[in-house]
Amino acid sequence: MISVHLSIKKITGRILALLTLSVLMPAFSFAQTGNDFGSSAYNGKGLIINTKNGYIEITPYTADVINVTYKHNLGDVVKSYSTIGQPTSVKAVYINDKNFSGIKTSALKVLVDKRDLSVSFIDNQNHLLSKAFNYAKTGDSSTVSFKSDGKEAFYGGGSKAIYLNRRGTVLQNNNQAHYDYHFGQTDINISIPFMVSNRGYGLYLDNAAEGSFDVCKTDAKALGYKTTSGLVSFYFVGGGSMDGVLKNYTFLTGRQPLPPRWSMGYISSRYGYKSEREVTDVVNKTRAAGIPIDAVVFDLYWYKSAEFMGNYNWAPDSFPDPKRMLANLLKNHIRVVTISETYITKKSENFKAAIDQHLFATDITKKSSPYIFENFWAGSSGLLDVFKPSTQQFYWNFYKARIKDGTAGWWFDLGEPESNNDSLVYTAGTNKQVHNAYALTWAKFAFDGYRKDFPESRILLLPRSGFAGMQRYSTFPWSGDIDRSFAGLKAQIPIIISMGLNGVGYMHSDAGGFTGGGDKANKDPELYSRWLEFATFIPVMRTHAGAVHYSPEPIYWDDTTRLRVTKFIKLRYAMLPYNYTLAYKNTTTGRPLVLGVNYFEPENQRLSNVNDEYLWGDEMLVAPVIVKGQTTKKVLFPKGEWIGFNDHKSYKDSADVYAPIDSLPLFVRAGSIIPMAGPYTYTEQYDGKSLTLKYYVGKSSATTTSQWFYDDGKDPNSLKNGKYDLVNFTTNGKGKTHTISITPKHLIGRTENFKLIIADKQVDAVSFSNKTAYTIAVNINGDKEIDFKWNGKPLVLTVKTM
């Protein structure tokens, strides 16, 4: 969140300088002639190539994850903020002949060409997947290029408000804040130096310094990378599929812990709630309107106002008894998230302590004096050196006190850092060297503090910025200060998909749009409705806006708009069993919750750059309307048959789908069972004891397996300690005969009340493989449903429909 009184930020000279360096033409090569290869040595764990100008160190982490580091001295060490995976025991064969030196694993050949020192990655079908070449170093900067086939799609690079396929672009690896941005803003708050190819591999550059990617723009057959500092150390991340690549990448950088289940409900936020009465009024009116709600976010007014940024006590005039307020909200099943920044203004009660304890980043031009941003929008401020242990403890003490009071999560804002320059020096290095690691380090010390002092808590951190590996610190980032417009909405789908492909599964946006200039004139019911329809099927549903005359909560809209969006918020709660199962898959495999439509067929050129629809898990397709006035939308479908979630029609290939303002085009993969529940007022009402299984029958008889995961939604150790249910539903059927197998994968021994509904089918008869009590009833939609109790044992239902 940035003050609404600010003018739009201008690109700094530092970033412009980076742009001029983004065409990656090396000043000199690591190797110029064939004579530069010296020798190679393999010790069973890694390969070292000795060259005239240095070394190439190649280490297999797994059979299809290979690290390559260019060193000018053998003792050079990579400083990684992101990689936590360690090399496993990999069986590899050493190769050394006239032209090549390398290793062969069960999945790859990695060959160094002795003539030019290029490093090739070749799969088991003898296909060249990528080749690193033209490594060069000039001063502190280094470059390397990777061979492309000239047509493959590349995805990733972090949060970018541009098309999914990055081919033909230049991207900065440099976290930046852009106020009031919309589609077309190339670089924003989160940079992640990981590019994923639709050919089934990824390239992860392990360096937090500022840099850039030239994604086949200068040369259609070369992906270029430049870093301004540090070693070039990259990982070739194989896998053969998007699932395989993401599983391997999150092995390296970590996986997201299970979320607190309340985070998957509706969260109300604005800039900002100024008193206890105001927030209580919002909660009470929301509940009275029949709208489910689980949490509220307090922006900077919780500590009074922006000019007191750095205070970490509730403003006593507005919040006279915060402990009582938090306790009352929690009794009403409302969690509270409070904002935090790492800037401390001169008016803050903590400024003097930060100065006295030397907690601020220093000024390289003034003999290590604290750097003060005299023109910072909240007032003259210092920026905390989050890399410094004493700073981390200083801030964690405030967080710890507020958590004890009842705060359930933290909103980390301005963490790019928003205002910064190359005069800043941290204990970890210069701004240019560690800029991108700033927000990651902030999240890490908060996460570590929670784990130490509140080990029984699941953690929710809402950062605006971050870096590779941020997901392991239980982060739920949002896409920054987006323009309240259809151009702002358009940016969200590619941002969320790209972040998922970079390991960050819980990306979301300020639903409704953050800023829109003229506040009253920009209150557009169509935009608001379309944005909330979309937000129903993303990892976090949180309304937010930053304007004096604009309230983003549904209760402050006209009756028609309020009732329209209420329907979708209720649908989100009904989908909680399915959505929470997606969270389990993300935690255990690294698969994002939001997937590109080509995720399971990445080389399908028809689907390689679809930016206005996505998969919600592997069983649902969402096609939001993101164009003003549009009521019919062309939808492209992945292979197979898809069934309309509401109309139950069969779809394949593509279709023009009718989508009036109160409708979201939504589809289910044929044969899938979607677990649903409710209705609920808040997520804690979901206890996993009653479940509706909605079976979407297709025209084919293909066997399809769906899953359902359940735990208490609170225990951070539920997976480790086996306190969860995991059940498979396998279907087979077409026409009038259907079989449904219910197979327990892991149970904690509860009896479940299941309600089976076969979409658009009337049940005629049912039989069970085990003795099971059941009833067939007619529901409010006129559909016949089968109600039965499941005792946790394998069960097969044979259902005949009319």
Side-chain angles (χ1 to χ4, degrees):
M1 188 282 308
I2 304 176
S3 169
V4 295
H5 302 293
L6 273 184
S7 61
I8 297 174
K9 297 277 191 293
K10 293 183 180 180
I11 299 175
T12 65
R14 174 172 51 83
I15 297 172
L16 287 172
L18 271 174
L19 286 169
T20 64
L21 294 171
S22 60
V23 178
L24 307 179
M25 299 301 291
F28 64 89
S29 297
F30 201 63
Q32 292 285 355
T33 71
N35 298 327
D36 287 343
F37 180 90
S39 61
S40 66
Y42 178 66
N43 63 5
K45 295 182 178 180
L47 175 68
I48 294 178
I49 305 295
N50 188 350
T51 78
K52 178 181 178 181
N53 293 317
Y55 304 87
I56 306 174
E57 192 171 270
I58 299 174
T59 306
Y61 274 55
T62 70
D64 52 2
V65 176
I66 311 294
N67 175 245
V68 176
T69 303
Y70 296 94
K71 297 182 175 183
H72 288 260
N73 299 292
L74 198 55
D76 290 345
V77 176
V78 175
K79 171 60 176 175
S80 179
Y81 291 91
S82 300
T83 303
I84 59 172
Q86 297 295 318
T88 62
S89 179
V90 180
K91 292 183 179 180
V93 176
Y94 176 44
I95 299 170
N96 192 29
D97 59 27
K98 179 181 178 181
N99 294 320
F100 298 98
S101 184
I103 56 174
K104 182 180 185 302
T105 72
S106 60
L108 292 170
K109 282 189 292 187
V110 185
L111 299 179
V112 178
D113 192 319
K114 294 181 178 180
R115 294 161 293 187
D116 61 8
L117 297 183
S118 61
V119 184
S120 295
F121 301 89
I122 302 165
D123 68 14
N124 283 335
Q125 287 73 49
N126 214 34
H127 297 141
L128 175 66
L129 297 175
S130 186
K131 179 170 74 173
F133 66 100
N134 276 1
Y135 167 79
K137 182 175 176 62
T138 305
D140 292 334
S141 299
S142 301
T143 62
V144 69
S145 295
F146 300 90
K147 182 177 176 60
S148 168
D149 70 357
K151 59 183 179 180
E152 67 190 303
F154 285 103
Y155 309 103
S159 184
K160 317 286 183 185
I162 57 175
Y163 291 120
L164 279 168
N165 186 357
R166 311 305 200 201
R167 171 172 285 277
T169 63
V170 173
L171 307 175
Q172 301 306 312
N173 186 45
N174 173 39
N175 294 345
Q176 304 170 29
H178 288 277
Y179 182 68
D180 199 28
Y181 78 92
H182 49 72
F183 188 86
Q185 181 63 55
T186 303
D187 299 288
I188 45 179
N189 309 84
I190 302 174
S191 297
I192 297 178
F194 181 43
M195 302 301 299
V196 182
S197 167
N198 67 339
R199 297 182 63 212
Y201 72 90
L203 296 166
Y204 160 46
L205 283 298
D206 191 7
N207 190 315
E210 294 177 3
S212 59
F213 285 99
D214 182 328
V215 191
C216 309
K217 182 176 177 63
T218 303
D219 181 346
K221 294 189 175 182
L223 168 70
Y225 168 75
K226 178 184 180 67
T227 180
T228 58
S229 181
L231 300 180
V232 169
S233 180
F234 74 87
Y235 291 82
F236 177 89
V237 183
S241 65
M242 292 297 191
D243 263 351
V245 171
L246 266 293
K247 184 176 181 180
N248 284 333
Y249 173 71
T250 53
F251 153 72
L252 289 172
T253 61
R255 295 190 183 130
Q256 180 106 1
L258 281 171
R261 192 156 54 228
W262 61 262
S263 69
M264 305 195 85
Y266 165 57
I267 300 173
S268 182
S269 176
R270 78 161 77 142
Y271 176 43
Y273 299 121
K274 296 181 179 180
S275 69
E276 178 180 349
R277 174 178 291 183
E278 190 172 35
V279 76
T280 302
D281 192 46
V282 167
V283 169
N284 290 343
K285 286 182 178 179
T286 299
R287 287 270 169 82
I291 302 172
I293 183 173
D294 266 84
V296 291
V297 177
F298 284 81
D299 211 312
L300 48 79
Y301 294 110
W302 78 274
Y303 52 73
K304 193 171 184 179
S305 66
E307 62 184 328
F308 296 102
M309 189 176 292
N311 283 6
Y312 278 94
N313 290 303
W314 291 85
D317 50 347
S318 304
F319 304 98
D321 192 346
K323 288 185 180 180
R324 177 189 52 78
M325 178 188 71
L326 293 168
N328 287 340
L329 287 169
L330 188 58
K331 285 179 184 177
N332 205 18
H333 306 281
I334 298 293
R335 268 72 176 184
V336 165
V337 178
T338 46
I339 198 169
S340 171
E341 304 91 352
T342 53
Y343 294 89
I344 300 181
T345 65
K346 287 183 177 180
K347 289 187 177 182
S348 168
E349 61 192 13
N350 293 312
F351 184 82
K352 184 178 185 302
I355 288 286
D356 292 345
Q357 297 176 43
H358 308 288
L359 304 182
F360 287 134
T362 57
D363 189 338
I364 197 172
T365 67
K366 296 182 180 179
K367 298 182 179 179
S368 299
S369 297
Y371 190 97
I372 303 300
F373 293 89
E374 296 294 351
N375 297 316
F376 185 61
W377 62 268
S380 297
S381 307
L383 175 64
L384 289 175
D385 182 352
V386 299
F387 301 94
K388 198 171 190 177
S390 57
T391 303
Q392 296 174 6
Q393 190 59 53
F394 177 78
Y395 246 34
W396 175 249
N397 288 341
F398 292 119
Y399 294 162
K400 182 178 178 180
R402 300 293 76 79
I403 295 166
K404 285 183 175 180
D405 290 344
T407 294
W410 289 94
W411 184 14
F412 285 176
D413 201 7
L414 316 183
E416 292 74 26
E418 180 183 294
S419 292
N420 67 92
N421 59 58
D422 288 340
S423 292
L424 285 172
V425 179
Y426 306 98
T427 52
T430 65
N431 184 65
K432 192 178 288 288
Q433 291 170 333
V434 299
H435 169 80
N436 290 323
Y438 188 93
L440 181 72
T441 303
W442 184 9
K444 180 183 186 303
F445 83 70
F447 180 87
D448 290 345
Y450 263 104
R451 280 286 174 260
K452 177 179 178 291
D453 293 323
F454 304 97
E456 301 306 312
S457 297
R458 290 194 186 175
I459 301 167
L460 182 130
L461 304 177
L462 288 166
R464 194 177 74 180
S465 189
F467 193 59
M470 63 187 294
Q471 68 276 358
R472 66 178 180 259
Y473 300 130
S474 200
T475 55
F476 299 75
W478 89 99
S479 59
D481 295 339
I482 183 68
D483 180 60
R484 194 183 310 132
S485 65
F486 277 92
L489 174 58
K490 178 181 178 180
Q492 301 312 309
I493 295 175
I495 284 174
I496 294 175
I497 294 173
S498 297
M499 287 293 286
L501 289 172
N502 281 175
V504 184
Y506 289 86
M507 192 71 183
H508 69 287
S509 69
D510 292 340
F514 177 70
T515 180
D519 304 324
K520 290 181 179 178
N522 198 245
K523 193 170 184 177
D524 182 347
E526 181 186 4
L527 173 65
Y528 185 76
S529 299
R530 292 304 196 188
W531 208 313
L532 265 68
E533 290 168 12
F534 156 66
T536 302
F537 289 92
I538 62 173
V540 178
M541 187 181 200
R542 181 182 57 84
T543 51
H544 185 64
V548 176
H549 302 295
Y550 178 97
S551 296
E553 302 87 352
I555 53 173
Y556 295 116
W557 286 79
D558 62 273
D559 289 347
T560 300
T561 304
R562 173 178 52 78
L563 291 173
R564 182 186 300 136
V565 301
T566 297
K567 176 181 70 173
F568 282 94
I569 295 173
K570 287 182 174 180
L571 176 58
R572 181 174 181 86
Y573 278 75
M575 295 295 303
L576 188 56
Y578 179 83
N579 296 350
Y580 194 60
T581 301
L582 301 186
Y584 161 77
K585 292 177 181 178
N586 174 259
T587 294
T588 54
T589 69
R591 178 191 286 178
L593 287 74
V594 170
L595 314 171
V597 290
N598 69 333
Y599 187 86
F600 297 104
E601 41 185 321
E603 293 196 70
N604 184 335
Q605 290 298 313
R606 182 176 68 98
L607 304 177
S608 67
N609 199 23
V610 177
N611 292 271
D612 62 349
E613 57 186 83
Y614 56 93
L615 298 176
W616 180 238
D618 57 347
E619 293 161 317
M620 299 188 74
L621 185 146
V622 188
V625 174
I626 59 172
V627 177
K628 186 172 180 62
Q630 187 179 64
T631 56
T632 300
K633 174 159 183 170
K634 185 177 183 62
V635 179
L636 300 180
F637 294 94
K639 66 180 178 182
E641 182 185 5
W642 293 82
I643 309 298
F645 182 82
N646 294 310
D647 66 14
H648 304 149
K649 293 180 181 178
S650 177
Y651 295 89
K652 294 184 75 173
D653 300 324
S654 67
D656 292 324
V657 178
Y658 182 51
I661 190 172
D662 61 350
S663 175
L664 171 68
L666 187 62
F667 310 89
V668 180
R669 194 183 299 273
S672 299
I673 282 183
I674 304 298
M676 301 176 69
Y680 298 130
T681 303
Y682 48 87
T683 56
E684 279 185 316
Q685 292 173 311
Y686 171 49
D687 61 7
K689 294 180 180 179
S690 297
L691 208 64
T692 296
L693 309 177
K694 197 163 184 182
Y695 174 28
Y696 286 81
V697 179
K699 294 179 180 179
S700 68
S701 58
T703 299
T704 304
T705 297
S706 308
Q707 271 193 326
W708 171 60
F709 170 81
Y710 178 84
D711 68 3
D712 69 359
K714 302 176 183 178
D715 182 0
N717 300 306
S718 63
L719 291 176
K720 178 181 176 182
N721 296 332
K723 295 182 179 180
Y724 64 92
D725 287 340
L726 183 63
V727 180
N728 281 359
F729 304 107
T730 303
T731 67
N732 188 289
K734 65 176 181 178
K736 296 182 178 182
T737 302
H738 316 273
T739 60
I740 301 166
S741 299
I742 303 176
T743 308
K745 304 298 291 182
H746 188 281
L747 287 179
I748 53 178
R750 287 196 316 272
T751 299
E752 310 295 342
N753 297 307
F754 283 161
K755 183 188 302 291
L756 175 66
I757 299 173
I758 302 181
D760 203 38
K761 299 284 184 181
Q762 291 287 339
V763 173
D764 184 30
V766 62
S767 61
F768 294 81
S769 61
N770 300 332
K771 186 176 181 181
T772 303
Y774 71 94
T775 59
I776 299 179
V778 178
N779 64 27
I780 60 174
N781 297 316
D783 296 324
K784 287 185 178 180
E785 59 190 28
I786 304 164
D787 293 274
F788 63 99
K789 289 185 179 295
W790 180 59
N791 63 5
K793 296 180 181 179
L795 179 66
V796 178
L797 289 75
T798 301
V799 183
K800 292 189 180 297
T801 56
M802 296 178 183

